[in-house]
Amino acid sequence: MKKALIALQLLLSIVSFGQGFLHRDGQKIVDGNGKNIILRGLGLGGWMVQEGYMIKTEPFASPQYVIKQRIQKVIGEQGTKEFYAAYKANGITKRDVDSLAAWGFNSIRLPMHYNLYTPSIQEEKNGEITWIEEGFTMTDNLLKWCTENKIYLILDLHAAPGGQGNDAAISDYDTTKPSLWESEANQKKMIALWKKLASRYRDNPWIGAYDIINEPNWNFTGTNKNGCDENSNGPLRDLMVRVTKAIREVDTNHLIFIEGNCWGNNYNGIFPLWDDNMALSFHKYWNYNTKESIQKMLDYRTQYNVPIWLGESGENSNVWFKDALTLMESNNIGWGFWPMKKIENIAGVTSVTKIPEYDVLLSYWKDGGQKPSVEFAKKTLMKIADNYKMENLTVKPDVIDAMFRQVQTNDTKPYKRNAVPGKTAATHYDLGTNGHAYSDTDFVNYRVETGNFEQWNKGNTMRNDGVDILPCKDAGSNGYQVSFIDDGEWLQFTTQVAKQNSYKVSIRYSSEKSEGKLHLETENGKKSETITLPVTGGNEKWKTIVLSGVELNKGTNKIKVVFDKGGFNLNYLDFSDNKKGSVKK
């Protein structure tokens, strides 16, 4: 009888795969037609599970429950409910998913908070497990939008009942209550939730996979509180086996992702694997993009004949993104970057605008002082919630370009349309890789080398390349300036030149202590004279100096501005006819 059931399950699985379910084929993830699929995804971090660093509350309120307490303190319980309703309604909409598809993503990772689907064990009566419709409705809507765009949706239990790690912000872990690992009731609730989800979505092929537990980081027997020195990981393996068994009781169609301890990367004691339709997820942040950096996962893939997936990565420069994704795709590894939305997000595909009033709230929450009025606080928070709408975001074309086009080529393309005659903002240099669109000395954060975070863009604003950008108050600017310029760095601008001519260039710059030098080069090898930029007397004291005799051809020109000597700030270059130059149409 048991063999017959297994055979029936296998037959059903084969039929299901033919309908388009992603599944394991040896070391590959393939679709129902057997086509190799490289998942190119984005995680919707912050939507169902808030983390303090995403909304600028990290220093004083990192887990979501603490964030919620701070909000309740200023606008009350009812106001808080209204804020979160707006925040979730605006956080992800059909327009967001349409945009992700248009940019090139073929998958979405949904970080779920269990408490949108089922109450905490403290709220349950008589030990029963009950359900909340809100989370399922949010997931249903997202799945509908994904289906319309032919995007795979990967369900990720980001905040498990009780919390699965000592890094409390990730899973909304409340240290005053039993964690996932300290409560059998929490584990049973997690198992029941996955069975409920699997039963609900078992027949939908646009559910790409079940990522059953995000970044567990817990010391079972080791001394490292995040589980990085665990050798057995027995409780983690046992729980994942139990979850898999519950899923397979109702769903034999879907791929299951598992994650190791130590934020997903410690697989000691997890093997051997216990299911035939499974893949290993790992997370990668702030380390080198060499084959050696992923060799252990490549070895697991070969040894256990199982696919591997970079389930989470990001929070670095465009240079790092391009190199990381090139490494993944050249080794047939899919990926899911992180996150889509964050307040003042330089390293993401979008950024949520922070309004000045929000700084008042942040200051009060952090340092105390005079409490803002309920009216002021609620209006501020509702405006922040409104800023999460896709139409109110700032889309980051440089990040999108790095994640997709730059992985395929070193060719450059215009960031904005630059015309000659006309003004070219210094920050409108080309889209492309370091060494091709620009050259900057500091362009990536390798935390493993220094032990500390480093800024690849010292201004931490506008663009995510190595080029250092600051806000600019000078008249005639686009609101930003290139700063922290080092000797030998350069920027390239693709420009449309109206006619062949000798042009003069008005250079708008400032400097506090040292004079700078620069010259212009064109792609045909022509160089202008090198001009000296005298000290202006301060970073906010702007002056204009004119460089004459810059020869440009009609049509598209790639102009390189070379900083022979740095130490100054650059606002813009304004090209105009040089009266003494010869003119040819």
Side-chain angles (χ1 to χ4, degrees):
M1 183 66 181
K2 186 176 180 181
K3 289 182 178 180
L5 286 173
I6 293 173
L8 179 60
Q9 283 185 334
L10 181 61
L11 179 61
L12 289 172
S13 297
I14 293 171
V15 172
S16 298
F17 292 157
Q19 295 173 349
F21 290 94
L22 292 185
H23 63 282
R24 168 188 165 267
D25 181 6
Q27 298 175 28
K28 299 183 295 182
I29 295 174
V30 300
D31 65 12
N33 297 315
K35 179 184 176 183
N36 183 63
I37 299 295
I38 293 182
L39 293 169
R40 299 180 175 96
L42 198 63
L44 306 183
W47 186 37
M48 288 186 168
V49 188
Q50 286 179 323
E51 297 181 38
Y53 88 97
M54 296 184 187
I55 59 171
K56 301 295 183 181
T57 64
E58 184 178 27
F60 51 86
S62 212
Q64 180 173 270
Y65 79 93
V66 181
I67 297 168
K68 190 173 183 180
Q69 289 172 354
R70 297 298 178 107
I71 293 174
Q72 285 179 327
K73 186 176 181 180
V74 291
I75 62 174
E77 185 174 350
Q78 182 58 36
T80 300
K81 288 180 180 179
E82 293 174 22
F83 163 73
Y84 275 102
Y87 178 89
K88 286 180 283 190
N90 299 339
I92 298 296
T93 66
K94 183 179 185 299
R95 185 167 176 174
D96 291 283
V97 180
D98 292 346
S99 298
L100 290 174
W103 296 337
F105 293 97
N106 65 8
S107 56
I108 286 173
R109 182 171 177 250
L110 173 63
M112 303 179 297
H113 198 309
Y114 83 91
N115 68 10
L116 292 170
Y117 302 84
T118 182
S120 68
I121 59 171
Q122 289 81 16
E123 296 172 285
E124 299 281 29
K125 296 180 180 179
N126 303 319
E128 295 181 2
I129 295 177
T130 58
W131 305 106
I132 300 170
E133 189 57 33
E134 182 181 13
F136 294 105
T137 299
M138 292 170 73
T139 309
D140 288 347
N141 290 336
L142 178 58
L143 179 57
K144 179 176 181 293
W145 303 327
C146 286
T147 301
E148 291 169 355
N149 282 286
K150 297 183 178 179
I151 283 180
Y152 291 108
L153 178 59
I154 297 165
L155 303 185
D156 151 41
L157 187 54
H158 215 77
Q164 68 269 25
N166 281 307
D167 190 344
I170 295 170
S171 61
D172 197 20
Y173 169 43
D174 184 344
T175 57
T176 67
K177 299 174 182 177
S179 72
L180 177 68
W181 310 110
E182 297 165 325
S183 166
E184 179 62 22
N186 276 328
Q187 294 183 25
K188 286 182 177 178
K189 181 174 279 286
M190 175 179 165
I191 294 167
L193 173 57
W194 270 118
K195 188 170 184 178
K196 184 83 169 178
L197 290 164
S199 179
R200 190 180 187 98
Y201 300 118
R202 61 188 171 194
D203 297 320
N204 194 308
W206 289 109
I207 291 287
Y210 303 137
D211 187 354
I212 59 178
I213 184 168
N214 173 72
E215 291 190 340
N217 58 100
W218 194 265
N219 54 322
F220 301 114
T221 61
T223 58
N224 181 277
K225 71 174 185 177
N226 300 116
C228 298
D229 62 355
E230 290 292 331
N231 289 317
S232 65
N233 287 310
L236 173 58
R237 185 184 195 277
D238 177 66
L239 181 58
M240 291 194 294
V241 170
R242 291 163 67 194
V243 169
T244 304
K245 182 176 182 294
I247 290 172
R248 292 301 183 226
E249 287 174 0
V250 294
D251 181 354
T252 57
N253 294 327
H254 285 102
L255 181 67
I256 289 176
F257 286 127
I258 62 170
E259 300 185 26
N261 207 342
C262 188
W263 295 284
N265 296 306
N266 180 350
Y267 275 90
N268 294 333
I270 299 299
F271 303 106
L273 299 177
W274 53 90
D275 188 86
D276 289 336
N277 194 21
M278 182 177 284
L280 309 182
S281 173
F282 66 103
H283 294 187
K284 178 177 169 64
Y285 286 100
W286 312 302
N287 54 19
Y288 294 105
N289 288 311
T290 60
K291 192 172 182 181
E292 288 73 23
S293 71
I294 60 169
Q295 190 60 55
K296 182 174 286 189
M297 296 306 301
L298 293 173
D299 291 343
Y300 287 152
R301 178 168 70 178
T302 302
Q303 184 176 355
Y304 298 103
N305 193 34
V306 63
I308 58 177
W309 174 61
L310 176 58
E312 196 178 298
S313 187
E315 302 293 3
N316 216 310
S317 70
N318 289 338
V319 177
W320 194 92
F321 291 172
K322 181 262 183 187
D323 290 344
L325 297 181
T326 299
L327 177 66
M328 294 307 117
E329 299 207 4
S330 64
N331 284 281
N332 195 36
I333 302 170
W335 47 269
F337 260 49
W338 182 266
M340 181 179 181
K341 296 182 183 181
K342 190 172 71 172
I343 293 176
E344 292 188 331
N345 187 13
I346 186 176
V349 296
T350 70
S351 178
V352 179
T353 300
K354 184 178 69 153
I355 57 176
E357 293 83 353
Y358 190 58
D359 282 324
V360 176
L361 277 184
L362 293 176
S363 179
Y364 169 69
W365 283 330
K366 181 182 179 182
D367 302 319
Q370 185 175 355
K371 184 178 180 180
S373 69
V374 173
E375 181 182 10
F376 173 88
K378 185 175 180 181
K379 184 178 179 180
T380 298
L381 287 166
M382 294 304 285
K383 176 57 179 173
I384 287 292
D386 190 63
N387 284 354
Y388 273 81
K389 291 179 180 176
M390 186 69 209
E391 56 265 36
N392 295 332
L393 298 173
T394 300
V395 176
K396 299 290 188 175
D398 58 302
V399 177
I400 297 167
D401 190 69
M403 295 176 72
F404 291 97
R405 191 186 65 86
Q406 291 178 31
V407 174
Q408 308 300 324
T409 179
N410 283 322
D411 290 347
T412 62
K413 62 181 292 188
Y415 178 81
K416 296 281 187 179
R417 188 182 187 279
N418 300 313
V420 174
K423 183 188 294 183
T424 296
T427 55
H428 288 176
Y429 59 91
D430 286 354
L431 293 168
T433 57
N434 191 31
H436 294 269
Y438 65 92
S439 179
D440 196 273
T441 307
D442 303 311
F443 50 82
V444 69
N445 174 20
Y446 294 127
R447 187 180 179 187
V448 293
E449 184 176 82
T450 64
N452 299 306
F453 288 99
E454 296 177 346
Q455 288 297 335
W456 53 89
N457 182 320
K458 294 183 180 70
N460 197 35
T461 188
M462 187 182 172
R463 296 180 65 169
N464 193 45
D465 300 311
V467 179
D468 305 303
I469 297 173
L470 286 173
C472 182
K473 297 179 181 179
D474 183 37
S477 78
N478 67 334
Y480 300 97
Q481 67 195 43
V482 172
S483 298
F484 306 105
I485 296 171
D486 289 334
D487 298 355
E489 294 181 340
W490 51 263
L491 304 172
Q492 177 182 281
F493 301 87
T494 297
T495 58
Q496 297 302 315
V497 179
K499 56 189 176 182
Q500 183 176 340
N501 201 356
S502 175
Y503 291 91
K504 64 179 181 180
V505 186
S506 298
I507 301 165
R508 189 70 170 170
Y509 76 101
S510 70
S511 57
E512 185 172 18
K513 295 180 180 179
S514 60
E515 67 177 24
K517 292 183 179 182
L518 66 76
H519 72 272
L520 273 56
E521 297 180 9
T522 58
E523 57 188 327
N524 60 8
K526 290 184 179 180
K527 294 183 180 182
S528 74
E529 67 173 301
T530 298
I531 190 169
T532 298
L533 311 179
V535 174
T536 66
N539 290 322
E540 300 298 326
K541 293 183 178 180
W542 294 88
K543 291 186 177 180
T544 302
I545 192 168
V546 176
L547 172 64
S548 299
V550 177
E551 300 284 342
L552 298 176
N553 295 324
K554 181 181 179 180
T556 301
N557 285 244
K558 290 185 182 293
I559 303 170
K560 187 181 292 186
V561 181
V562 181
F563 307 122
D564 302 281
K565 185 179 179 183
F568 60 94
N569 308 294
L570 185 62
N571 182 348
Y572 60 78
L573 298 91
D574 195 353
F575 292 80
S576 60
D577 286 355
N578 190 341
K579 293 181 180 180
K580 295 182 179 180
S582 59
V583 177
K584 296 181 181 178
K585 292 187 178 180

